[in-house]
Amino acid sequence: MPHGREIFRGDAAELGRLHQSRWQWLEQAVGPAVALPTEYPDGYHVPQHSHSRSQLLHALVGVVLVTTRHGRWMVPPDHAMWIPAGIEHSVEMLGDVSMRSVYVMPDAIAGLPDGLRVVGITDLMHSLIVESEKLPQGAELEGRGGLIMGLLLHEIPNLPERPLGLPFPSDPKLVALCRRFVAAPSPHATIDEWADIVGMSRRSFTRAFHRQTGLSLSTWRQQACLFAALPRLADGEPITRVALDLGYDSVPAFITMFKRMLGASPRGYMRGARDNGEGMRRAPPRLDGPAP
């Protein structure tokens, strides 16, 4: 398989062959870690599969929906998903996606995560991923390349775990509701409204949604609103504008929700992310005033 940025386009049969070729190449590659960049079009679906290597799945641009038997997870910008070796998963692109994945041998170093998790991508890890994709892949690396990959591996256990994974239900009708909500989030969605849309009683809907996501609709809705808010706040948009655009009646109500979900105010959370090396590629959020 030639090294470089692959663009996955074409009919289903052709794309299936491309993916099969990549997976076969990956299984034969040597070295503790392999970094592969890929460009995907909006709506592209990578069918269910697994690797003998663990995967750090990070989208530089766009949003991905990862599905495993443990649930569905939408990973926000400046974050990644750690998928342990052997876990069956599929990936769907929500918008055009520039994906950067690092595939890691399970015994590459001590301390690698042993379960699915969403992690924050620090500035250091971002730089290491960008540099690693320029290196020859599938071979043992020495010198500068070996140092880059070695540091990248040692940084994976240090990536901060974030409670930001957004599980999606498995029922197609519920998935459709969730997707519509993610496209236009609002704090005012109610259980009764969603139950009526899918033709279920309130009790049946509540049980089904919790069983398939592990969350109540209220908590899931707040998580989805956070997903919409975080990249805008990180881009420096005023908190007031973000809160009102998301349908909150007041800024204090939005801040209260934010603190309840993430344990800090928007200002405090973004400041902490910058202090930890995350979010430095963007401006801090402002309470009011024009966006930059």
Side-chain angles (χ1 to χ4, degrees), residues 205-219:
F205 175 89
T206 300
R207 288 182 172 181
F209 194 89
H210 192 278
R211 183 177 66 252
Q212 295 178 34
T213 66
L215 300 174
S216 67
L217 176 60
S218 175
T219 301

Side-chain angles (χ1 to χ4, degrees), residues 22-34:
R22 166 173 279 207
W23 294 332
Q24 290 174 352
W25 178 88
L26 186 62
E27 291 301 311
Q28 297 170 2
V30 299
V34 177

Side-chain angles (χ1 to χ4, degrees), residues 1 14 62 210:
M1 186 189 76
E14 180 183 359
H210 192 278

Side-chain angles (χ1 to χ4, degrees), residues 212-235:
Q212 295 178 34
T213 66
L215 300 174
S216 67
L217 176 60
S218 175
T219 301
W220 188 94
R221 182 192 67 198
Q222 291 171 344
Q223 289 277 80
C225 284
L226 284 178
F227 270 47
L230 283 173
R232 295 180 61 180
L233 293 173
D235 278 332

Side-chain angles (χ1 to χ4, degrees), residues 8 15 70 75 94 100 109 111 131 146 152 157 186-187 205 250 287:
F8 278 69
L15 293 173
H70 303 283
V75 185
L94 306 181
R100 303 295 181 268
I109 62 167
E131 286 300 313
L152 187 153
S186 165
F205 175 89
S250 67
L287 182 60

